[in-house]
Amino acid sequence: MRFELDGLDVFFPFPRLYREQYLYMKSLKQALDSNGHCLLEMPTGTGKTACLLSLITSYQYAHPERGKLVYCTRTVPEMDSVMAELVEVLGFREKCLAEGSTTASGDGKKRKLKAPKMGENGNPGGAGGSNVLGLCL
């Protein structure tokens, strides 16, 4: 699903967006717009990671001058899961942009999508693999 949130073109790789997810992304965007801090909480299984990655990558695409996202996890399996979700989010954005729809920045300029490098068997390289550092640089 592709939708507009307070003037930002958001690429969300699922067909349905729940009200809680929308409010989560709206709060996150308000914090980014104000250069502030944000503490958001949602129950397990509500799509926090997909919401966070969708909003942040859409925001970075529209505002490349804003810098990088630093995402921390406690364990290697958690990082592997996040990287797999990031591949899905960026793949969805690439598909939407390839279909000839307008750019997320609204300025009409085409930007080259920098997708994460893939590890063995087409899986993203997790923290235990060799690709995580490359994704962060």
Side-chain angles (χ1 to χ4, degrees), residues 59-75:
Y59 198 89
Q60 287 177 317
Y61 187 76
H63 305 281
E65 72 284 356
R66 292 302 295 258
K68 296 181 179 182
L69 165 67
V70 176
Y71 194 104
C72 302
T73 64
R74 290 183 307 115
T75 66

Side-chain angles (χ1 to χ4, degrees), residues 71-84 125-127 132:
Y71 194 104
C72 302
T73 64
R74 290 183 307 115
T75 66
V76 171
E78 286 174 356
M79 181 55 71
D80 288 339
S81 175
V82 170
M83 296 310 295
V132 169

Side-chain angles (χ1 to χ4, degrees), residues 9-83:
D9 197 7
V10 178
F11 300 90
F12 186 70
F14 299 101
R16 181 158 191 233
L17 181 69
Y18 295 101
R19 180 178 181 274
E20 292 79 10
Q21 292 171 321
Y22 178 82
L23 295 174
Y24 182 84
M25 287 192 265
K26 187 174 180 76
S27 296
L28 181 57
K29 183 180 181 302
Q30 289 171 345
L32 291 170
D33 286 342
S34 67
N35 292 320
H37 299 281
C38 186
L39 176 63
L40 299 170
E41 184 177 21
M42 286 175 64
T44 301
T46 54
K48 292 180 295 294
T49 303
C51 289
L52 176 72
L53 293 175
S54 294
L55 192 280
I56 294 290
T57 57
S58 296
Y59 198 89
Q60 287 177 317
Y61 187 76
H63 305 281
E65 72 284 356
R66 292 302 295 258
K68 296 181 179 182
L69 165 67
V70 176
Y71 194 104
C72 302
T73 64
R74 290 183 307 115
T75 66
V76 171
E78 286 174 356
M79 181 55 71
D80 288 339
S81 175
V82 170
M83 296 310 295

Side-chain angles (χ1 to χ4, degrees), residues 2 92-102:
R2 184 176 181 179
F92 177 74
R93 179 177 78 187
E94 183 175 29
K95 178 183 169 200
C96 286
L97 295 174
E99 290 174 352
S101 34
T102 60

Side-chain angles (χ1 to χ4, degrees), residues 87 117-125 131:
V87 168
K117 297 176 184 174
M118 300 301 282
E120 293 180 24
N121 301 323
N123 295 323
N131 292 334

